[in-house]
Amino acid sequence: QEQVVESGGGLVQPGGSLRLSCLASGFSLKGYVMKWFRQVPGKERELVAGINAAGTNTMYADSVKGRFTISRDDAKNTVYLQMNGLKPEDTAAYYCNAYFSTFGGREYEYWGQGTQVTVTS
């Protein structure tokens, strides 16, 4: 069964760091665009970072630029989100998303169940 599972969340003080991992099983991440989202209860889900299939291009929400880094290691079938200089407003459930499409219109998309990040003193 194809799935992605996030890990690495936890409780951290402001200014601290965490590295989230997204491990895929049942399929290969090669060819997939990977993204990290986050969501606070009662708020809209927010796109935090993305990386193309080749790992040559990344994008970030303005709120995390300069602090977060997305990367991928296809050999390990894993995508990472390195989070530095964490702020209380980064507190959220973080979700991993994998997406692939073909010219024939076939789409493949997988979501993890999320990992909680809490930034507080």
Side-chain angles (χ1 to χ4, degrees):
Q1 183 177 3
E2 301 92 345
Q3 65 180 62
V4 293
V5 178
E6 304 95 337
S7 63
L11 182 66
V12 65
Q13 294 182 335
S17 298
L18 286 173
R19 188 176 77 159
L20 306 184
S21 297
C22 174
L23 175 64
S25 60
F27 73 105
S28 172
L29 285 182
K30 293 180 69 175
Y32 281 79
V33 174
M34 302 299 298
K35 296 177 181 177
W36 286 95
F37 292 79
R38 66 187 182 187
Q39 188 168 29
V40 177
K43 304 276 188 175
E44 293 286 334
R45 183 170 295 186
E46 176 189 19
L47 175 61
V48 175
I51 187 167
N52 69 338
T56 55
N57 289 290
T58 59
M59 62 80 60
Y60 301 92
D62 288 341
S63 58
V64 307
K65 283 183 179 177
R67 299 188 297 119
F68 289 12
T69 303
I70 186 171
S71 61
R72 64 192 301 153
D73 187 342
D74 288 347
K76 296 181 178 179
N77 226 25
T78 301
V79 173
Y80 304 97
L81 184 67
Q82 179 66 47
M83 305 185 295
N84 299 324
L86 284 163
K87 304 175 180 180
E89 52 262 44
D90 295 319
T91 296
Y94 283 73
Y95 298 88
C96 177
N97 171 268
Y99 179 79
F100 174 78
S101 66
T102 71
F103 286 109
R106 297 182 185 273
E107 295 180 286
Y108 303 86
E109 186 171 29
Y110 305 101
W111 288 90
Q113 293 190 354
T115 184
Q116 179 67 37
V117 172
T118 302
V119 185
T120 182
S121 299

